[in-house]
Amino acid sequence: MSRIQPPKGFRDLMPDDFKAREYLKRIISETYEQYGYQPIDTPVVENVDVLEGKGGGENEKLMFKVLKRGNKLSKAIGAQDWARLADMGLRFDLTVPFARFVAAHLNELPPVFKRYHIAPVWRADRPQFGRFREFVQCDVDVIGSDSMMAEADVICATATCLKRIGFGEGLTLRINNRPLAPLLLGAMGLPENLLGEGCRLVDKLDKLGIGGVCEELQKTGASGETAQNLSAFYKSTEAANSEGRIAAMREAVSGEDADALIGRIEEILDLCEGVAEIDIVFDPFLVRGMDYYTGPIFEITHPDVGFSLAGGGRYDRLVGMFCGNRDIPATGFSIGFERILVLMKERGMLPENQSGIDVVVCADGTGVSGRALIAAGETLRAKKLKVDVALTGGTVGKTMQLAQKRSAAFGVILRAGDPDNAEVRELDTRRSETMSIGAAAETIAGKLLV
RNA sequence: GUGAGUGUAGCUUAGUCGGUUAAAGCGCCAGAUUGUGGAUCUGGAGAUCGGGGGUUCGAGUCCCCUCAUUCACCCCA
């Protein structure tokens, strides 16, 4: 009985689901194109060495790998070389494959390349609310610009997307500069060897609370003083706005590096001020999981939702991993397509009549030739109407009922003995009129396709 | 990968301390009636209670295993 369900974490899509997804994709792609981003695609599989060791964090562990085939598989098994059973893997995000793409096509691409990519990715984690093993990601990235204008560009574009989707109010973009996080912790007294773990804990602040983070921090070996410093810093900046937090940050962290890193945040805030369609706030406790971030990072949250709707950041060294380690500036933003879709469904933000047709053609009783029905359908379609011809019997009433469920506005009913004319029935009002098929096409097209 | 919960008709669920033939709503099908396809009424089909094993005179109910699923953690979109 359960054999016929798709594998765990994977989904079949019914027409309504599919149309809803197309609707959302369309808003996003149209918006990104308006900002000058170009669509690309890459293979769903990459060589494992492309996907591994590139700072994808935990995601690498969740990779679906593709087993080698034939002799190579036998050889690997024979050698008990378990690490090399697979030679390819399904991509677990769009950023790492994009970095490879850029490296591979560096001399074909313009100096600054802006692309968007809407495509499925796969992760072998346990499915949960709003989380799947196969899900769509929507990434925008700018390659080749180390200006904070690139950040402002992806932020504005993404904010506009979310606004057009229908999340006008309540969205907040939190921003930090990733290298600032270990600097802050260091300034609080955390020893260098604990900085990595410390950053990971700070990232969980929204779940653990400041108390929880400090507690966990001490379990890793941090001193009570460090924990107290951190807690005090958090509490003193919690209620502050970006300006206040930046001031506190400057006080806590000194040095040219820190100044420059904070300066970049200020630049972005300044560029977006009054322009981006979203509230932006500096959050010194934002970290994010990927290890490849080298600069400003950001996340968009909604007060009613426990997870972030979009996230991204700068990764100046990732592309270089595929082409001689030279830095190629890059920054990007990823929209949580699936999560947004779940929210839209819950809140009725999806348009009605997504799987609708305009007209259903059927026969009243037997005696109408199939050919007449098919021909009538074609005549109506010539007027650009979406037409479904009833392919099996059934009463007119039943057919019309089903038609209306599919949001058809009109029924066209052919009768035996009167092959040239048809009854045109308006399904809402149930008024009908008999006319030639040609006239029916004209009339319906006139009413529906204004 | 770790932990908890839930599996009864197509869907949502009820089912007492273990006790006769497992119940209802929605949906579906047929008929009646009205004003048609909607509304109302009548009738009908549809469940080996996720699967396997055990305890018992007797299991939907208790125990074990398994599968599926949901949630939380991890991590993240």
Side-chain angles (χ1 to χ4, degrees):
Chain A
M1 207 52 187
S2 55
R3 277 283 93 80
I4 58 175
Q5 295 306 123
K8 186 200 287 284
F10 292 75
R11 295 161 292 170
D12 289 325
L13 296 176
M14 293 294 273
D16 280 346
D17 299 325
F18 189 90
K19 296 252 178 169
R21 301 171 77 84
E22 291 299 301
Y23 167 79
L24 182 53
K25 279 183 195 174
R26 200 171 59 245
I27 295 178
I28 294 169
S29 58
E30 280 174 2
T31 305
Y32 282 147
E33 296 230 2
Q34 203 188 353
Y35 278 82
Y37 292 84
Q38 292 296 304
I40 66 156
D41 202 2
T42 64
V44 303
V45 289
E46 294 283 352
N47 293 322
V48 278
D49 52 310
V50 167
L51 296 173
E52 278 176 344
K54 296 301 185 300
E58 288 292 309
N59 291 340
E60 288 176 18
K61 291 182 197 155
L62 302 174
M63 189 186 350
F64 282 104
K65 292 183 182 173
V66 178
L67 221 48
K68 287 180 178 173
R69 298 140 307 275
N71 283 342
K72 287 182 179 174
L73 179 61
S74 311
K75 252 172 85 180
I77 293 173
Q80 304 207 350
D81 192 354
W82 310 129
R84 283 186 238 287
L85 288 179
D87 54 356
M88 296 186 286
L90 296 179
R91 63 181 174 216
F92 50 78
D93 72 10
L94 297 177
T95 306
V96 173
F98 178 53
R100 181 200 57 75
F101 173 97
V102 171
H105 302 284
L106 209 48
N107 44 21
E108 304 161 55
L109 295 172
V112 172
F113 179 57
K114 296 168 53 170
R115 72 92 228 234
Y116 71 93
H117 194 181
I118 303 176
V121 303
W122 294 267
R123 290 180 198 171
D125 64 354
R126 290 242 184 127
Q128 229 177 93
F129 180 77
R131 299 174 60 173
F132 311 94
R133 288 183 154 182
E134 177 182 51
F135 62 98
V136 166
Q137 271 191 339
C138 312
D139 281 25
V140 266
D141 290 87
V142 179
I143 290 288
S145 169
D146 53 14
S147 163
M148 291 300 107
M149 283 175 67
E151 267 79 358
D153 203 62
V154 292
I155 288 171
C156 285
T158 302
T160 301
C161 268
L162 291 173
K163 192 185 179 190
R164 288 187 183 167
I165 290 162
F167 293 102
E169 304 302 314
L171 292 178
T172 303
L173 185 140
R174 296 184 299 139
I175 187 168
N176 191 14
N177 205 330
R178 179 54 229 254
L180 228 35
L183 281 185
L184 177 64
L185 289 174
M188 299 289 122
L190 194 68
E192 196 165 342
N193 62 323
L194 292 179
L195 289 179
E197 180 62 20
C199 285
R200 219 165 305 140
L201 285 171
V202 165
D203 196 32
K204 291 187 210 162
L205 189 113
D206 47 343
K207 271 187 190 158
L208 298 177
I210 185 66
V213 169
C214 290
E215 211 172 289
E216 293 292 318
L217 209 52
Q218 289 184 70
K219 279 186 202 164
T220 68
S223 68
E225 195 188 339
T226 299
Q228 268 183 4
N229 286 341
L230 190 69
S231 179
F233 181 84
Y234 175 79
K235 282 171 184 156
S236 72
T237 57
E238 191 181 7
N241 60 12
S242 293
E243 268 177 41
R245 288 175 175 184
I246 285 172
M249 199 68 185
R250 280 202 197 285
E251 207 163 302
V253 185
S254 54
E256 278 178 38
D257 285 357
D259 270 352
L261 291 169
I262 295 168
R264 308 235 95 180
I265 299 292
E266 285 179 310
E267 272 184 69
I268 296 170
L269 289 171
D270 186 54
L271 285 165
C272 293
E273 173 73 39
V275 179
E277 311 246 24
I278 190 167
D279 293 327
I280 303 182
V281 57
F282 171 50
D283 181 353
F285 290 89
L286 177 70
V287 173
R288 292 185 59 72
M290 301 312 164
D291 303 327
Y292 51 61
Y293 290 125
T294 58
I297 51 175
F298 20 83
E299 225 168 73
I300 295 180
T301 50
H302 192 284
D304 303 352
V305 188
F307 39 71
S308 65
L309 294 183
R314 178 166 283 275
Y315 50 98
D316 286 344
R317 281 194 275 284
L318 186 55
V319 178
M321 298 183 113
F322 299 104
C323 56
N325 284 328
R326 58 193 163 125
D327 283 7
I328 298 195
T331 188
F333 219 139
S334 179
I335 292 184
F337 186 86
E338 307 289 346
R339 294 172 168 187
I340 284 172
L341 212 56
V342 168
L343 289 179
M344 291 176 81
K345 222 179 249 180
E346 272 181 10
R347 299 168 175 220
M349 291 162 67
L350 290 161
E352 302 282 317
N353 191 16
Q354 281 290 294
S355 61
I357 48 169
D358 298 322
V359 187
V360 166
V361 178
C362 72
D364 184 9
T366 54
V368 176
S369 75
R371 186 186 162 77
L373 286 165
I374 295 284
E378 292 298 288
T379 304
L380 290 155
R381 289 184 193 111
K383 293 291 175 193
K384 301 230 160 53
L385 291 163
K386 290 185 199 167
V387 183
D388 195 16
V389 175
L391 300 178
T392 60
T395 65
V396 172
K398 202 70 209 163
T399 306
M400 294 299 127
Q401 191 180 356
L402 289 170
Q404 206 167 18
K405 267 191 191 161
R406 297 177 61 197
S407 307
F410 287 91
V412 168
I413 302 147
L414 304 189
R415 295 184 195 290
D418 189 9
D420 297 328
N421 292 311
E423 178 188 340
V424 175
R425 188 182 288 180
E426 197 171 1
L427 295 180
D428 283 340
T429 62
R430 296 176 186 185
R431 268 192 300 236
S432 43
E433 210 177 325
T434 298
M435 61 185 78
S436 75
I437 309 278
E442 291 282 353
T443 306
I444 296 172
K447 286 192 183 169
L448 289 184
L449 311 172
V450 181

